Amino acid sequence: MKKTYVITGTTSGIGKTLLEAFAKDNIVFAGYRNEKYFNDLKSVSDNVIPFFIDMEKKESVAKAAAFIKSQTDKIDTIINVAGCVIAGLMETIDVDDIRKQFEVNTFSHLDLTQKLLPLLKDGKIINVSSMASFGIFPFVAPYCASKRALDILFNSLGIESGIKVVSVKPGVIATPLWGKSIDLNKKSISNCADHEKEMQYMVANARKNETNGLDVHKVRDLIVKIDGMENPKSSYTVGKDAFFANLVSKLPQDWLNKIIRYGIKAKVSSLK
Ligand SMILES: NC(=O)c1ccc[n+]([C@@H]2O[C@H](COP(=O)([O-])OP(=O)(O)OC[C@H]3O[C@@H](n4cnc5c(N)ncnc54)[C@H](OP(=O)(O)O)[C@@H]3O)[C@@H](O)[C@H]2O)c1
């Protein structure tokens, strides 16, 4: 029997591969924020029902939820995927940029999920979090904090409601996210007095990650597997880097900070 999925962020990267996998045999409500993708989404399969959602705007989240409710009375799995990366120095970053980060990566996911909960009978919630949730990376603290908050809020939702909530925490995955992050953070990248080298390293690394990261299908395959499990764990990492980030995050904070400072110094001094 066909199942019904709601997936955000289906126009690119991880979300796109999930849409392609699930829409073969199931109904998928596929979130997009740019009209130019509407026909691409429709062409994946007749099972795809695209819905507009701008995760920065709560009115848009409400409209998206109302639209989905007008089309179905049952959802089997909600997969919260959409996301972006806000980087910058805590000394100078515009706090409104951090608000935006939380709106897109955290609050809108909870808001949409809450509105759809009455339809989620015996279903699952799968969140695409990140190894950033372990909170160990400077210069991208807004992103780390938004993912940590996402995990905390949804873990609590799972305990309180009894709904199965799963956090998937990928390491570096080869998707367009990295190039988009460079564009999105132009202001921070150019406003980084005393940290130009670090930013230069971050940008060069982001460019490399877009192609050298882990194959996006590894994330897709894990999520398809989790969706099929009766009793999945609450949290999964994807990739050796995510496994390692989890491990070192358990060190005492001062030890961890020393390791991170040393690591950044070594990387930056290797730059020409
Ligand atoms: N790539 C990695 O290394 C990595 C690692 C760990 C976790 N993740 C997480 O995986 C998730 C998917 O990322 P990805 O790597 O697949 O990146 P991606 O290719 O950039 O996909 C992100 C998706 O989210 C959508 N999106 C972004 N901002 C939005 C907004 N304001 N409203 C509605 N939709 C929005 C994008 O729409 P557009 O197509 O219009 O941009 C796109 O469909 C994100 O939550 C990310 O944090 C990624």
Side-chain angles (χ1 to χ4, degrees):
M1 209 179 83
K2 274 184 186 170
K3 288 167 72 178
T4 301
Y5 291 79
V6 174
I7 311 178
T8 56
T10 56
T11 49
S12 176
I14 296 169
K16 189 174 176 187
T17 63
L18 289 170
L19 172 68
E20 288 160 359
F22 286 118
K24 279 187 203 136
D25 302 314
N26 305 283
I27 303 293
V28 181
F29 287 90
Y32 68 94
R33 64 164 165 173
N34 188 326
E35 292 293 343
K36 75 176 178 184
Y37 291 116
F38 182 87
N39 289 332
D40 293 348
L41 295 177
K42 286 293 289 176
S43 70
V44 170
S45 148
D46 290 343
N47 292 328
V48 176
I49 306 174
F51 68 96
F52 179 84
I53 185 162
D54 180 345
M55 315 285 287
E56 276 186 57
K57 300 196 176 86
K58 66 178 185 181
E59 303 77 20
S60 177
V61 174
K63 270 191 192 160
F67 170 74
I68 293 167
K69 283 173 165 170
S70 74
Q71 304 289 310
T72 183
D73 55 10
K74 184 176 180 287
I75 296 168
D76 293 280
T77 307
I78 299 172
I79 313 183
N80 293 308
V81 185
C84 65
V85 179
I86 301 287
L89 301 177
M90 285 308 105
E91 294 154 77
T92 50
I93 192 166
D94 184 338
V95 175
D96 278 341
D97 290 341
I98 306 182
R99 286 196 181 93
K100 170 182 157 164
Q101 176 74 98
F102 272 77
E103 207 59 66
V104 175
N105 284 13
T106 314
F107 303 146
S108 58
H109 290 302
L110 185 61
D111 194 9
L112 180 69
T113 302
Q114 280 180 350
K115 289 179 165 61
L116 297 178
L117 278 183
L119 279 61
L120 192 75
K121 294 162 191 138
D122 300 323
K124 277 193 196 82
I125 299 166
I126 303 174
N127 286 341
V128 179
S129 175
S130 167
M131 68 169 167
S133 169
F134 297 120
I136 64 174
F137 305 111
F139 305 108
V140 283
Y143 181 63
C144 295
S146 72
K147 291 295 189 180
R148 186 80 196 115
L150 178 81
D151 285 340
I152 292 169
L153 299 174
F154 272 83
N155 192 57
S156 191
L157 172 81
I159 295 170
E160 292 155 10
S161 65
I163 295 169
K164 194 71 223 173
V165 176
V166 181
S167 163
V168 174
K169 300 179 179 72
V172 172
I173 309 297
T175 73
L177 182 81
W178 295 98
K180 289 180 202 172
S181 307
I182 298 173
D183 291 340
L184 194 60
N185 290 290
K186 279 212 169 91
K187 195 173 66 179
S188 289
I189 292 166
S190 58
N191 179 23
C192 61
D194 302 333
H195 294 282
E196 287 90 354
K197 283 268 181 192
E198 286 91 336
M199 282 297 167
Q200 199 186 326
Y201 168 73
M202 298 270 295
V203 171
N205 208 35
R207 288 197 210 290
K208 263 196 282 172
N209 289 345
E210 183 143 345
T211 42
N212 294 359
L214 200 65
D215 182 354
V216 66
H217 296 100
K218 299 262 186 219
V219 186
R220 176 202 64 186
D221 293 348
L222 175 65
I223 292 177
V224 168
K225 201 168 146 193
I226 291 168
D227 183 59
M229 289 179 189
E230 200 151 314
N231 222 347
K233 294 190 293 178
S234 299
S235 175
Y236 293 82
T237 54
V238 190
K240 286 186 188 137
D241 48 355
F243 177 81
F244 185 69
N246 185 14
L247 219 60
V248 296
S249 71
K250 299 187 190 328
L251 290 172
Q253 191 72 54
D254 286 327
W255 295 15
L256 181 55
N257 289 354
K258 264 188 198 144
I259 294 171
I260 298 287
R261 282 200 189 99
Y262 176 80
I264 290 172
K265 217 168 156 187
K267 296 281 184 198
V268 166
S269 63
S270 70
L271 285 176
K272 289 184 191 96

